[in-house]
Amino acid sequence: MSIQKPSLPKGTRDFGPLIMSKRNYILDTIKSTFKLFGFQQLETPSMENLSVLTGKYGDEGDQLLYKIVNSGDFLKNVRAEDMMDGSHRVLPKIAEKGLRYDLTVPFARYVVMNRNDITFPFKRFQIQPVWRADRPQRGRYREFYQCDADVVGTDSLICEAEIILMIKKVFKELKLTDYSIKINNRKILTGISEVIGEPGKESELCVCIDKLDKIGWAKVQEELIQKGFGEESISRLEPIIHLPKEDKFSYMADFLNLSAVGLQGLKEVKDVYELLTMSGASEEHLDFDVVLARGLSYYTGAIFEVKVNNVSIGSVSGGGRYDNLTGVFGLEGVSGVGFSFGVDRLYDVLEELNLFPQDSLETTAVMIAHFDQEGLGYGLKVLSFLRSAGICAEIYPESAKIKKQFNYADKKNIPFVIIVGSDEISSGKVTLKDMKSGIQTLLTLEEVSKILKG
Amino acid sequence: MSIQKPSLPKGTRDFGPLIMSKRNYILDTIKSTFKLFGFQQLETPSMENLSVLTGKYGDEGDQLLYKIVNSGDFLKNVRAEDMMDGSHRVLPKIAEKGLRYDLTVPFARYVVMNRNDITFPFKRFQIQPVWRADRPQRGRYREFYQCDADVVGTDSLICEAEIILMIKKVFKELKLTDYSIKINNRKILTGISEVIGEPGKESELCVCIDKLDKIGWAKVQEELIQKGFGEESISRLEPIIHLPKEDKFSYMADFLNLSAVGLQGLKEVKDVYELLTMSGASEEHLDFDVVLARGLSYYTGAIFEVKVNNVSIGSVSGGGRYDNLTGVFGLEGVSGVGFSFGVDRLYDVLEELNLFPQDSLETTAVMIAHFDQEGLGYGLKVLSFLRSAGICAEIYPESAKIKKQFNYADKKNIPFVIIVGSDEISSGKVTLKDMKSGIQTLLTLEEVSKILKG
């Protein structure tokens, strides 16, 4: 057997210890915030029946689903004619299962299958990998984590307000200060399409407006004309695109005056602002953006998007309210609101802004170095003492040269080394070396324990 | 489109909030113990190239690998002749990737690919799901978590001793008291096969002896005879099977007297015991079992197995020392020792023994009930106060009937409800209801905060 150099599938990654500890810093912050707000964790299987996944993400999404070959003689139902017809004909006969494409469809399936046991409103969060057979590129992977929180079974705008509070809390914990939480409401977009004289065309309007940041107003106008919007409609739309920062609410109240649904959307945004004020939260970071659309025809009420300013990939979170989560599985009337953090993007943002705190990274607090059998015996007792005190500690497993042992601690970013030699043993103390400053001090175990517990 | 009732693939499970909180209780205990002992976390992708996975788990294992259909026109390399030859011929042409079968092979691949960046000895832990296309049955799933810790790059027996210390620590935290950590050494089994006069046949000996617990000594003898062991050899083996509990070490020293390798194995077990004593650990729960084999030809030194006594599924952990982790990928000389916790089995054991602590389960500490707009305003302020104090809290999102709100808290196992009515608002206090006892008390927010923080 020739031995092959092993490799990773394209678009996938190993997360070694340093990266894991940074990822855990982000995920633990998000998780504890979700819990602080009363959300409960759900995990669903990586594999779903293709009948559950197919048709939920559009034709392109179906193409990007990873399918799993049936076990055993997977060709048994495939006939020669199927082969002639090509892959699309053969696929359903050889693959029944696929990998999770997002966390929303599995959540909807879970709600439908457990509807009699779930207490609504159901506040769930879910942090798991998803898979997409997409072309890999910078920042886009074939396996990546999603991080969703949703409340289903209530129309209360308190949920929208709490999503904003959670985003603020997570960003505060991560020391991110320069960011905007954009908020809008799908009903406002519907209202706008009504008052500019193009009722019922808000989907097209959304698709075009969604590109405003990327292609600019001139190009958006061209696209609107291509989509059949009249010139008069477009000129009626223009003031909205260049809305003044001040008095947005009163300006929009005038603008949407003739659209009941538009005014309803405006009221909902105002109510969310009011709930935030009642909660004692400031309006800092909030940005009511009447052209925020997020391209998804899926949302029916609130729409959120969070952008970190002055970094290369800014959009790190988004979400909104939807009317019908579970309709595709035959259960009507389950509405809700949810949002998602992009963990990989947050990682890149924190890296770019140098915001990962050195001292919160997971590492052993102290390593014990020893040089002979007697030192080992003493070292093992010191080790037990420290671990009993809850201090993450390890002993170098061999009586190696001091340089080798220090090098190990250094490479592993262990901040302190305890040195156990004959002087230490006879005095009943230990020498603690601060690896950064190089300073060594002879101390009692209690003193060491105090220092290491910070 | 007809609407289908959604279902889960066979052998997979959803983990709802209550189950997740119990699973997290186990996983967090294991994780924090691994970290306390200086192990660092690794995560590898769910998908691996089939060239990495195939041939590592025997023929049966290859059958149980989940394979992923190539993206795009996956049939493009398949010819009619391949079809005639059947699935085994077609499979390599339509699937390049598979799902992780265990955590050991991906770990070996990671070590080989990152050998220049890793500081040895490398202490890594890994907690991720694995997938096997096995026939599902009680306690056996197609997707399940493995929970591995390994030290590679050192022969030091300190690692063996630390594995035992970690198992003891985890079991103590989980309040498991009635269990045995069986320990043996592959070299002792080699020595036994030598001294009974069947040198070189320790693999067959291991396979037979491994079944001792299940089928008994009489049946094991039959199997040994079938495998070509002589009657004299078997009668020489018998005293080992019925070894007295006392003085095992001196008995075995006599028994293995003529086998150098056997005596070496015995010395290693003794050294591990000695290292434990030096660490201040008792021999409680330790069981030197000279016929423990674990059936795996893979181990070359220490062998471990942990059994919980008096429960239906007892074996919850196991591991051992191996000489050559990465040889299949062309990197020789990486030896190590590792072990694994069976999370699903630990879950079943804790459930059977009723050991999940009620108060450590993740749930909201308190829910706020309100009945009108004024109560909502007051409630939101109370909510912010509690969350700032780090208390997991939520407000019922609607001004619903009190019964409905209490029912929600009850179903979600929330232990306290804060009631906000006009009396509370005018006094600037809140009423705290203990959901278990039903007792209601009018308290200041500081008092509530103290109670909820325990």
Side-chain angles (χ1 to χ4, degrees), chain A residues 3-4 6-9 12-17 20 24 35-38 40-49 51-52 66-69 71 73-75 78 83 86-87 90-91 94 97 99 109-110 112-113 119-123 131 133 142-143 145 154-156 158-159 162 275 278-279 327-330 362 364 373 376-377 380-381 383-384 387 390-398 408 411-412, chain B residues 3-4 6-9 12-17 20 24 35-38 40-49 51-52 66-69 71 73-75 78 83 86-87 90-91 94 97 99 109-110 112-113 119-123 131 133 142-143 145 154-156 158-159 162 275 278-279 327-330 362 364 373 376-377 380-381 383-384 387 390-398 408 411-412:
Chain A
I3 283 165
Q4 239 180 315
S7 63
L8 273 176
T12 70
R13 298 161 289 171
D14 287 321
F15 299 129
M20 273 311 292
N24 283 340
K35 287 183 191 167
L36 190 68
F37 280 72
Q40 295 182 300
Q41 194 167 7
L42 172 69
E43 282 191 4
T44 62
S46 305
M47 300 188 292
E48 294 275 357
N49 290 320
S51 56
V52 165
Y66 277 110
K67 288 105 184 169
I68 294 164
V69 183
S71 304
D73 181 13
F74 62 89
L75 284 177
V78 179
M83 293 291 292
S87 299
V90 173
L91 194 58
I94 65 164
K97 291 187 287 282
L99 292 178
R109 178 197 50 70
Y110 175 83
V112 172
M113 287 178 66
T119 314
F120 294 97
F122 181 38
K123 301 168 81 168
W131 295 268
R142 288 180 163 176
E143 173 176 53
Y145 271 72
T154 176
D155 295 329
S156 168
I158 293 175
C159 305
E162 295 225 309
L275 285 164
M278 285 159 80
S279 301
V328 286
F329 297 122
E362 296 158 356
T364 312
Q373 194 63 14
L376 171 63
L380 288 175
K381 277 179 195 66
L383 190 62
S384 296
R387 286 178 180 157
I391 294 163
C392 296
E394 60 185 290
I395 192 164
Y396 194 81
E398 292 159 19
Y408 171 87
K411 285 271 178 62
K412 210 173 160 178
Chain B
I3 284 165
Q4 237 179 315
S7 63
L8 272 177
T12 70
R13 298 160 287 171
D14 286 321
F15 299 128
M20 272 311 291
N24 283 339
K35 287 183 194 167
L36 191 67
F37 280 72
Q40 296 182 299
Q41 193 166 7
L42 172 70
E43 282 191 5
T44 63
S46 306
M47 302 188 289
E48 294 275 356
N49 290 319
S51 55
V52 165
Y66 277 111
K67 288 104 184 168
I68 293 165
V69 183
S71 303
D73 181 12
F74 62 90
L75 285 177
V78 179
M83 293 291 293
S87 299
V90 173
L91 193 58
I94 66 164
K97 292 187 287 281
L99 292 178
R109 178 196 51 69
Y110 175 83
V112 172
M113 287 178 65
T119 313
F120 293 97
F122 182 37
K123 302 168 80 168
W131 296 268
R142 289 180 162 175
E143 173 176 53
Y145 271 73
T154 176
D155 294 330
S156 168
I158 293 175
C159 306
E162 295 224 310
L275 285 164
M278 286 160 79
S279 302
V328 285
F329 297 122
E362 295 158 357
T364 311
Q373 194 63 14
L376 171 62
L380 287 175
K381 277 178 195 64
L383 190 61
S384 295
R387 286 178 180 158
I391 295 162
C392 297
E394 61 184 290
I395 192 163
Y396 195 81
E398 291 159 18
Y408 171 86
K411 285 272 177 63
K412 208 172 161 180

Side-chain angles (χ1 to χ4, degrees), chain A residues 19-280:
Chain A
I19 296 172
M20 273 311 292
S21 111
K22 290 177 176 177
R23 286 177 66 87
N24 283 340
Y25 168 70
I26 296 172
L27 291 173
D28 290 347
T29 302
I30 294 172
K31 242 187 262 183
S32 60
T33 302
F34 287 161
K35 287 183 191 167
L36 190 68
F37 280 72
F39 285 73
Q40 295 182 300
Q41 194 167 7
L42 172 69
E43 282 191 4
T44 62
S46 305
M47 300 188 292
E48 294 275 357
N49 290 320
L50 280 172
S51 56
V52 165
L53 300 177
T54 310
K56 311 300 187 298
Y57 308 106
D59 286 348
E60 202 200 349
D62 284 350
Q63 296 294 323
L64 300 184
L65 289 173
Y66 277 110
K67 288 105 184 169
I68 294 164
V69 183
N70 292 341
S71 304
D73 181 13
F74 62 89
L75 284 177
K76 64 173 183 277
N77 297 321
V78 179
R79 288 172 306 172
E81 309 94 85
D82 299 328
M83 293 291 292
M84 309 291 273
D85 282 353
S87 299
H88 67 283
R89 181 73 173 267
V90 173
L91 194 58
K93 301 199 166 182
I94 65 164
E96 277 172 8
K97 291 187 287 282
L99 292 178
R100 185 168 57 214
Y101 179 89
D102 73 357
L103 303 178
T104 305
V105 167
F107 175 47
R109 178 197 50 70
Y110 175 83
V111 169
V112 172
M113 287 178 66
N114 297 276
R115 59 183 177 278
N116 297 325
D117 301 320
I118 292 172
T119 314
F120 294 97
F122 181 38
K123 301 168 81 168
R124 90 86 172 76
F125 76 89
Q126 192 167 353
I127 301 178
Q128 291 192 277
V130 301
W131 295 268
R132 296 182 184 179
D134 223 331
R135 185 183 296 273
Q137 57 184 57
R138 193 178 170 278
R140 191 199 282 165
Y141 304 100
R142 288 180 163 176
E143 173 176 53
F144 59 97
Y145 271 72
Q146 286 194 338
C147 201
D148 284 19
D150 290 77
V151 191
V152 294
T154 176
D155 295 329
S156 168
L157 294 171
I158 293 175
C159 305
E160 273 84 340
E162 295 225 309
I163 285 175
I164 291 169
L165 290 173
M166 284 195 281
I167 293 168
K168 284 188 160 200
K169 170 84 177 158
V170 166
F171 277 47
K172 193 180 164 193
E173 297 289 324
L174 296 179
K175 312 268 188 302
L176 281 166
T177 51
D178 190 7
Y179 67 92
S180 310
I181 305 173
K182 295 189 174 201
I183 175 169
N184 194 19
N185 194 297
R186 171 63 184 266
K187 292 171 187 145
I188 291 177
L189 293 166
T190 305
I192 291 173
S193 73
E194 284 179 15
V195 300
I196 64 168
E198 304 275 358
K201 288 177 83 172
E202 72 262 38
S203 284
E204 293 90 332
L205 187 66
C206 287
V207 170
C208 294
I209 290 184
D210 200 35
K211 299 178 186 163
L212 189 64
D213 274 1
K214 282 182 200 142
I215 63 174
W217 175 230
K219 287 255 161 88
V220 167
Q221 286 182 74
E222 284 174 27
E223 290 209 3
L224 284 169
I225 288 166
Q226 274 174 21
K227 294 235 156 116
F229 282 73
E231 280 194 29
E232 200 183 335
S233 304
I234 294 174
S235 70
R236 278 197 202 136
L237 182 64
E238 179 138 19
I240 292 297
I241 303 294
H242 306 294
L243 201 65
K245 289 227 172 237
E246 306 299 309
D247 291 326
K248 271 186 202 173
F249 282 107
S250 57
Y251 187 94
M252 288 306 292
D254 287 344
F255 188 86
L256 295 169
N257 190 30
L258 292 173
S259 164
V261 62
L263 289 175
Q264 172 62 22
L266 189 65
K267 181 181 180 309
E268 288 179 13
V269 177
K270 263 173 114 167
D271 284 354
V272 171
Y273 269 73
E274 205 175 307
L275 285 164
L276 289 170
T277 307
M278 285 159 80
S279 301

Side-chain angles (χ1 to χ4, degrees), chain A residues 323-391:
Chain A
D323 263 353
N324 194 354
L325 177 72
T326 55
V328 286
F329 297 122
L331 181 66
E332 300 291 333
V334 178
S335 66
V337 58
F339 78 117
S340 180
F341 280 113
V343 184
D344 290 301
R345 289 182 167 198
L346 274 173
Y347 187 100
D348 290 345
V349 166
L350 294 193
E351 201 68 283
E352 191 172 337
L353 298 175
N354 204 16
L355 284 178
F356 282 111
Q358 200 52 42
D359 60 353
S360 84
L361 296 181
E362 296 158 356
T363 179
T364 312
V366 62
M367 186 201 83
I368 298 169
H370 62 99
F371 311 102
D372 51 28
Q373 194 63 14
E374 197 193 1
L376 171 63
Y378 190 75
L380 288 175
K381 277 179 195 66
V382 172
L383 190 62
S384 296
F385 175 89
L386 294 172
R387 286 178 180 157
S388 300
I391 294 163

